[in-house]
Every structure is written in structure tokens, then in C-alpha cells.
């Protein structure tokens, strides 16, 4: 979740009332992390109570629901953007990422593949100018599609083939990639490699010498366990 200052800088200034509400939500996020209550409140304030909610706020709401495995709620949010032809390239790319993950996690692999086919040219063209973090987000989302379609080897190749470069000791994106590897192993039933995948993820987490929030270490420890159990 963006800090209040970053939200103001990147997404345009909020009204005084909305700014106060955003600050309260961000403060709750800093203290407790991702919760269903946070997602529900964000949804109510920035989507349900707004006549024309901003695409980035809809995607953010879907992302918050995804973090707590409320996939149906995330899907309902993303459906609001299905016919939106006026999204910026940045907004559309973020929407595509969340849509690919959501359709795959719900189990609609054919729907996910159709969505990928419809949007892959745009995503590839956009990714040419994207930074490494956005590029990693895209490949994780695409690997979800292959995983949902039970093409586990293809999912692994996507993650390993795009050449992510670790960004130092405290690299949360590297953790996301390694946790996705655990998830793929779990879904594939590959008991021979899942322990190695878990060890890699745990080793990356042990490298961290600082965390942005007090709950971050526990959050990623739980993520590794969930991935081991086929949840991501």
C-alpha cells in the first residue's frame, strides 16, 4: 500500500476528507498489515462511495483483497474495469496483472489464458519500458496462468528465464519470486523439489537485516507456509 505522501504524489491530491481517511487506513496498514477489514474499508471509501472510482483505486482494492485470499471480492472489483477503454497504460498494465492472477487463482484457467491472449501484446510492449519490479510482477502473473493450466515446467521457465537481478539483502520481490516457486512445486505435487524451494525462500528471508514494518517477517514466513500448502 502506498504511503500517504506517495499516494498524493503519484495519484493526484485527495480532498481533505479523503486524505484523512487514507491516512487512517495507511496507519492501520503500518500497524497490522494486510487484513480483510483494511480491504473492506478501502473498498467502501474509494470505490463504493465514489461515483466514478479511479482505476488505480479499484486495482488497489483488488490487490488488498488478493493479499488476504478474498478472491471473489477481488474479482468483483476487477469486473468494474472490464469495459473501461479510457485507462492509461500504467492503469491497464496493473489491471492486467491483477486480472491474470485472480482468474488463475480462482481456477478459471481457460478464462485466464483467453485474457492473456487478448492482452499479451500490450503487456509485452509496455514491459519494454517497465522497471525490473513491474517486469517481475508480470512474469509472476503469467506463471500463475501456466500453473493454473497445469503447465508447471512452463511456469518455472517463465520465472527463471526473464533474468531478475536481486536488489540487495532486503529484496521483497526476490522473496515473491521464490515463494511463487514454492507454490508451483506444491500445485504440481513435486515432492522432490518442494523442500529445496522452501529452503531457498527461507534463506532469502534470513538475509534481511531490516523490515519496513514490524509485521513483515511474520507475513513472509506465513506466505512461505501457505505456498507450501498450495495457497498464494
Amino acid at each position: 500500500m502506498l504511503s500517504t505522501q506517495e499516494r498524493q504524489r503519484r495519484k493526484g491530491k485527495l480532498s481533505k476528507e479523503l486524505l484523512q481517511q487514507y491516512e487512517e487506513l495507511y496507519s492501520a496498514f503500518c500497524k497490522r498489515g494486510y487484513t480483510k477489514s483494511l480491504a473492506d474499508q478501502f473498498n467502501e471509501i474509494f470505490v463504493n462511495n465514489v461515483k466514478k472510482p479511479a482505476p488505480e483505486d479499484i486495482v488497489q482494492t483488488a490487490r488488498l483483497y488478493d493479499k488476504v485470499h478474498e478472491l471473489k471480492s477481488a474479482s468483483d472489483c476487477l469486473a468494474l474495469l472490464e469495459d473501461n477503454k479510457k485507462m492509461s497504460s500504467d492503469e491497464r498494465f496493473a489491471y492486467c496483472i491483477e486480472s491474470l492472477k485472480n482468474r488463475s487463482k480462482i481456477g478459471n484457467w481457460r478464462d485466464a489464458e483467453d485474457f492473456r491472449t487478448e492482452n499479451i501484446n500490450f503487456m509485452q510492449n509496455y514491459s519494454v519500458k517497465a522497471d525490473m519490479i513491474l517486469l517481475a510482477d508480470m512474469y509472476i502473473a503469467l506463471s500463475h496462468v501456466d500453473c493454473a493450466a497445469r503447465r508447471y515446467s512452463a511456469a518455472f521457465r517463465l520465472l527463471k528465464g526473464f533474468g531478475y537481478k536481486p536488489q540487495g539483502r532486503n529484496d521483497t520481490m526476490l522473496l515473491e519470486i521464490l515463494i511463487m516457486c514454492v507454490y508451483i512445486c506444491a500445485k504440481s505435487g513435486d515432492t522432490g523439489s518442494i523442500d529445496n524451494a522452501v529452503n531457498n525462500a527461507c534463506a532469502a528471508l534470513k538475509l534481511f537485516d531490516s523490515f519496513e514494518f514490524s509485521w513483515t517477517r511474520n507475513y513472509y514466513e506465513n506466505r512461505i507456509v501457505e505456498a507450501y500448502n498450495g495457497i498464494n
Side-chain angles (χ1 to χ4, degrees):
M1 187 173 179
L2 295 176
S3 69
T4 305
Q5 293 77 13
E6 187 70 2
R7 173 61 170 78
Q8 289 281 81
R9 186 182 71 81
R10 290 174 54 180
K11 308 298 183 183
K13 290 189 176 181
L14 297 168
S15 67
K16 185 176 181 180
E17 180 182 1
L18 284 179
L19 178 60
Q20 181 179 353
Q21 290 175 310
Y22 191 95
E23 286 178 337
E24 291 172 357
L25 290 177
Y26 185 70
S27 177
F29 170 74
C30 292
K31 292 176 183 177
R32 293 183 288 275
Y34 298 104
T35 64
K36 185 177 183 299
S37 175
L38 175 69
D40 285 341
Q41 290 180 66
F42 195 97
N43 186 34
E44 190 66 19
I45 295 168
F46 291 97
V47 179
N48 289 343
N49 287 345
V50 179
K51 186 175 181 180
K52 291 184 178 181
E56 58 265 29
D57 286 334
I58 294 172
V59 172
Q60 175 65 84
T61 305
R63 190 178 294 118
L64 291 173
Y65 277 124
D66 175 75
K67 293 291 188 182
V68 293
H69 312 306
E70 292 287 335
L71 300 180
K72 178 60 167 59
S73 295
S75 179
D76 290 343
C77 288
L78 294 168
L80 298 174
L81 294 173
E82 283 186 2
D83 299 320
N84 190 318
K85 307 298 183 183
K86 297 182 179 180
M87 286 186 283
S88 68
S89 295
D90 292 347
E91 291 166 346
R92 184 181 171 189
F93 188 77
Y95 163 71
C96 287
I97 295 297
E98 292 306 311
S99 293
L100 286 171
K101 290 192 299 183
N102 182 260
R103 293 167 197 237
S104 300
K105 291 181 184 183
I106 285 175
N108 297 335
W109 67 271
R110 290 187 183 276
D111 189 25
E113 288 197 324
D114 288 343
F115 186 90
R116 177 175 60 183
T117 299
E118 292 169 7
N119 293 279
I120 192 62
N121 286 339
F122 160 75
M123 295 179 72
Q124 288 177 333
N125 289 335
Y126 181 94
S127 69
V128 171
K129 63 177 182 179
D131 62 26
M132 185 63 72
I133 300 301
L134 285 177
L135 196 62
D137 274 336
M138 183 181 76
Y139 278 99
I140 289 173
L142 292 172
S143 69
H144 266 292
V145 180
D146 280 331
C147 192
R150 301 184 180 181
R151 293 193 298 268
Y152 305 114
S153 295
F156 270 120
R157 286 197 299 271
L158 278 173
L159 290 180
K160 294 181 178 180
F162 78 97
Y164 181 78
K165 297 178 181 178
Q167 309 295 302
R169 293 178 62 92
N170 305 318
D171 188 348
T172 56
M173 181 51 73
L174 177 61
L175 264 182
E176 293 290 343
I177 293 169
L178 294 174
I179 289 171
M180 185 63 193
C181 289
V182 175
Y183 174 75
I184 296 169
C185 289
K187 299 299 283 188
S188 70
D190 186 354
T191 56
S193 61
I194 192 168
D195 287 341
N196 183 57
V198 169
N199 289 337
N200 288 339
C202 290
L205 183 56
K206 287 179 180 178
L207 287 175
F208 278 65
D209 54 20
S210 65
F211 294 93
E212 187 173 5
F213 306 109
S214 61
W215 50 264
T216 306
R217 179 182 288 279
N218 185 60
Y219 167 73
Y220 279 111
E221 289 174 345
N222 288 336
R223 287 279 309 281
I224 294 169
V225 173
E226 287 178 337
Y228 181 85
N229 290 309
I231 303 168
N232 193 5

